Amino acid sequence: MAQLIENIINQDIVGYIRKEKLEARLRNIFGYDIRVRHVNERFVFDAPRLVTTVSVAMSASSASNIDGERYESVLPYLRYPPLIVTPDRSEIRLVDFASEDATKHDATFTHSEEFESYISTNTQPHARIISICSQNSIRPLQITERALRRLMKLYEIDADFLDIVVSFGDKPRNSDAGLGEMKVKQRADGSYDMQYLLTYADEYKAYGSTKWTIRQIGVFHRYKPSGGGNLWIFLHAKPNTKLQQQFEAKLTECPSTLGQDWFSLHSLVLSSYLVNWRWCIRGLGDQLENSADIALTRDLSKSDGIDQNVLLELLKPQHLGDVILPLSSWMGVAQATISKMQEINTLLYTKGFSTENNYDRVSGDLASYKVNLEGHLRSVRVLERKAQGISDLVGSKVTFDKEITNKFTIIAVIIDINQSMLKLTDEGFDDNATVKVVTLVTLIYLPASFVATILGMNLFDFASEKLSISRQFWIFIVLAVPLTLLTLAMWYFVTQRQLRNRQKMKSKKKEEELMV
């Protein structure tokens, strides 16, 4: 059990609350019961850390916002849940720094209840870094709602953090492209809470070529200039991200800077992800160039020799225009976040919490990131105009020739028909598999059935006036009934197994399509 600290709170400062009410508020903060004593008009209790009167007074309202309404109210509007339900499927990395130059604890929790127990029973260290991962972009964060609430209560994190949490469990939505800018709040104890959602381009390999998809990372940072109690929370859209790899390298090289410098991990986030925008934009530009070459070099008035692939390539600029459209908003949010970091850097320097060298270093890094983003935004605006121009060019050429227009329509209809035929073929495959199993079973038992029928004809005596049945008739019943039941059971087992395997393949294919 961690060492407990005696807390003494004047009753008049807390607001004349009852002892039972104070115990309930302490339960919200620490997650377990703490006995409060009433001594000389004061409340006295032992807790893992010192509790400020402000936190005691505010914990009840903060906890109610987290527990009762905000999270549940948005769930009906989400396509997928942002948090897991089963606690034993968690993946939570926690690193504690006991001081500026020592690592206290480094562990990965695969069970949310173990994580809850650890943070509830261990005092808040000099710095704590928590990383929570999803399996992929369309999977929930691997932490339960209860464990997340315990973390938020323990550190008195504002319910606004849930706005970032509910962005996970699904790919970044175009309708949310303008959300996620950094928010900064100063707390009563002089610490600063910073949180933001950064959307970035992430590369992956498919069929031997480099493809790009859009992911996001959520960041919460509590910085205490006085030292001690600093907290980082990272929400990752997949395991083993580039940020995690750089964090591991930093943890090995110079771990003291991670818990000491307010900008150290923000710099890792920005350097890990902002650089990818350049290459993602270049890839989109190459696709537009290819479509432009076809539109300018092909004579669309001559329909002979124009195959389906060419026509589909000419339709691509319209799709790319939709892909490019939200990029400027995502980059604009990142740009606003950098501007907010510049304000924080200036504020900490003017208050004497940062040295001149650190101020200059952080200012230079942020200015560089901002300049690069401004360049990316100008490139995106160029691509937007180019995509629109190519679409207009293709549209004018196609409209000029009615036959080509019909070809575009026919190609679109053919694609739709092909999708429908694939579904029908898939359903027909299920039926054919069932018929195949039944036929196979019939072929196996048909000879035996024929022989049994011939040999069983002497079980009945029709010659006498009264129909008589052989005394050995029970042998036929004993053999035929269990054999029939066994046959049906084997047929059911085989067909159900095949059905489950096909469903798993369909689910896996759907996840891969959504990740692209």
Side-chain angles (χ1 to χ4, degrees), residues 138 251 327 344 446 448:
I138 59 172
L251 196 61
L327 297 186
I344 292 294
L446 185 60

Side-chain angles (χ1 to χ4, degrees), residues 450-481:
F450 177 72
V451 173
T453 301
I454 294 177
L455 296 179
M457 291 176 61
N458 60 354
L459 294 176
F460 301 93
D461 185 7
F462 298 96
S464 60
E465 296 180 357
K466 185 177 181 181
L467 176 66
S468 60
I469 302 175
S470 173
R471 293 181 179 180
Q472 284 75 33
F473 183 73
W474 63 272
I475 298 176
F476 176 78
I477 301 297
V478 169
L479 293 177
V481 172

Side-chain angles (χ1 to χ4, degrees), residues 61-80:
S61 60
S62 299
S64 63
N65 288 337
I66 297 170
D67 285 339
E69 301 173 2
R70 191 152 187 170
Y71 179 74
E72 289 82 357
S73 64
V74 301
L75 289 180
Y77 305 104
L78 305 178
R79 291 197 302 178
Y80 308 107

